Amino acid sequence: MADITRRLGWRHLRGAPTAHVRHHRDGKLLHDGPGLSFWYRALTAALSEVPVDDRELAMTFHARTSDFQDVAVQATVTYRVSDPALAAARLDFSIDPDTGVWRGAPLEQLGTLMTETAQQHALDVLARTTLSAALVDGVASVRERVAAGLAAEPRLPATGIEVVAVRVVALRPEPEVERALRTPAREQIQQEADRATYERRAVAVERERTIAENELASQIELARREEQLVDQRGTNARREAEEHAAADAVRASAEAARSVKLAEAEAERSVKLAEAEATRTVKLADAEAARSVRLARAEAESAREVGEARAQAQAAWLRVHGDVDVATLNALTGTRLAENLPNIDSVTISPDVLTGLLARLGGGERA
């Protein structure tokens, strides 16, 4: 729709690049082209706006096949206005000078024309085709026939319309018929699925059998290798025992030899120690004997010297006492006796003792 602006009794139109605008005044064409912009007076202007972009026309109609089955056809036709002047002359593309809105419905007229033309050719094709064939190859045949029919339709070029493309989206039977037609296919698909399931199960069973056989073969091989391993371990243990026995024998021989050597060394050491001890004992005995002899000699010499000294002292004592009178000797004897007596704190002398003592002393003096 054109953009129209009002200014002091004038109107300004600004068209889109995809809209072809034609401006007539007094029967004369003043402006003609897409994307125009101009001023005009509403009372004297005759305006038409023709879209020149590609348009999509969706159509849905029903047809009947040769076996009297109803089919719904969904199609889309792409077209454009190739001659805007011719289209504006054949269809009412005039717009209101004040609002820019189409006064008629030109696009609806084009849609009705193209829908009826396409429907006529589609019905002609499907009327000679069975439902199963239509569902299988009907889309392509209907598309080709509708495209050829629209291209050969003389009213479209006479109106300035060019068909760009034709697409048939789907051919759909009635829901009950469609369900009935789906049943064999579903059964076949289910059978194929069941067959695939059975085959998959068979393959799975075969694979499981193969896996079980492989596992059994692996277990047999493992048992055989374990038997070999046991034999090898026994051989290794026997060899290890023999080596240990040989090592123990060598160790025992070495230990015996070492014990013999140690015993011989110990015996030799004991002999040497005994000889050394005997030598030391002999030396000690000799030394002790020599010391005893020396001590005996020294003691004898000392005894001899002591005896000589005592003899000399006795001789001297005798010589001294030989010259002393008896009273002096008695006094000396008493003195010596007193020196040898123990300490006496007190002495009690009875008259009898004193009398006897004096008597003895007197008798001695007399004697």
Side-chain angles (χ1 to χ4, degrees):
M1 185 177 66
D3 184 12
I4 297 177
T5 306
R6 299 179 182 182
R7 291 290 186 276
L8 300 176
W10 289 84
R11 305 289 186 271
H12 181 271
L13 183 144
R14 183 174 59 189
T18 58
H20 189 98
V21 178
R22 293 172 62 85
H23 175 209
H24 292 81
R25 188 180 63 188
D26 296 333
K28 296 180 179 180
L29 182 62
L30 300 181
H31 299 91
D32 185 17
L36 296 179
S37 180
F38 53 88
W39 290 92
Y40 66 92
R41 287 186 177 273
L43 296 177
T44 60
L47 302 174
S48 61
E49 184 182 20
V50 181
V52 294
D53 56 340
D54 290 350
R55 296 275 173 156
E56 300 286 342
L57 176 61
M59 58 185 69
T60 300
F61 52 87
H62 291 269
R64 181 168 293 181
T65 61
S66 60
D67 51 357
F68 304 103
Q69 298 296 326
D70 190 15
V71 178
V73 181
Q74 297 177 359
T76 301
V77 177
T78 303
Y79 69 96
R80 73 167 66 97
V81 178
S82 60
D83 191 347
L86 184 58
R90 299 296 299 271
L91 298 174
D92 186 10
F93 283 98
S94 62
I95 60 175
D96 190 304
D98 293 324
T99 61
V101 178
W102 277 321
R103 291 176 176 175
L107 296 181
E108 293 181 2
Q109 295 177 3
L110 281 177
T112 301
L113 173 62
M114 298 180 69
T115 300
E116 291 178 352
T117 304
Q119 184 175 3
Q120 179 182 355
H121 294 287
L123 292 176
D124 189 18
V125 172
L126 293 175
R128 295 191 297 270
T129 306
T130 61
L131 178 62
S132 59
L135 294 178
V136 175
D137 299 324
V139 173
S141 59
V142 169
R143 182 178 64 250
E144 293 175 359
R145 182 61 180 273
V146 170
L150 290 177
E153 177 64 31
R155 291 186 60 188
L156 296 179
T159 314
I161 304 301
E162 178 185 357
V163 177
V164 178
V166 176
R167 298 186 301 277
V168 177
V169 180
L171 295 176
R172 301 290 299 274
E174 292 181 350
E176 295 80 4
V177 176
E178 187 174 5
R179 282 193 297 270
L181 292 174
R182 287 178 179 177
T183 301
R186 287 182 178 179
E187 292 295 332
Q188 184 177 1
I189 293 173
Q190 186 64 37
Q191 292 177 2
E192 293 294 333
D194 295 340
R195 186 180 301 109
T197 301
Y198 297 149
E199 291 178 356
R200 184 171 64 253
R201 289 179 180 177
V203 171
V205 171
E206 182 66 22
R207 289 181 179 177
E208 289 179 357
R209 185 181 63 80
T210 303
I211 292 172
E213 291 179 354
N214 293 333
E215 290 180 353
L216 182 59
S218 299
Q219 291 178 0
I220 294 173
E221 181 65 20
L222 181 61
R224 187 179 62 80
R225 292 189 178 183
E226 286 181 353
E227 182 179 2
Q228 293 178 355
L229 180 61
V230 170
D231 294 339
Q232 186 65 35
R233 285 179 178 175
T235 302
N236 294 337
R238 184 170 56 256
R239 185 178 303 170
E240 186 177 359
E242 292 175 356
E243 291 178 355
H244 282 310
D248 291 339
V250 172
R251 190 180 302 108
S253 299
E255 187 69 22
R258 189 171 66 84
S259 299
V260 170
K261 289 182 180 180
L262 288 176
E264 291 177 355
E266 184 67 22
E268 185 178 357
R269 187 173 67 84
S270 298
V271 170
K272 289 181 179 181
L273 288 176
E275 290 177 354
E277 184 67 23
T279 302
R280 187 172 65 83
T281 303
V282 170
K283 289 182 179 180
L284 289 176
D286 292 341
E288 185 67 24
R291 188 173 65 83
S292 299
V293 170
R294 287 194 299 271
L295 288 175
R297 289 178 181 177
E299 289 178 355
E301 184 67 25
S302 177
R304 185 177 61 80
E305 291 179 356
V306 169
E308 290 179 354
R310 288 180 177 177
Q312 291 177 2
Q314 189 69 27
W317 187 80
L318 290 174
R319 283 194 302 270
V320 170
H321 289 77
D323 297 334
V324 177
D325 56 4
V326 178
T328 302
L329 290 176
N330 290 328
L332 290 173
T333 300
T335 303
R336 182 66 57 85
L337 181 60
E339 291 176 357
N340 293 326
L341 288 174
N343 295 326
I344 298 172
D345 295 333
S346 62
V347 177
T348 304
I349 299 174
S350 63
D352 294 335
V353 174
L354 183 59
T355 303
L357 181 60
L358 292 177
R360 290 180 181 180
L361 290 176
E365 289 179 356
R366 283 191 303 268

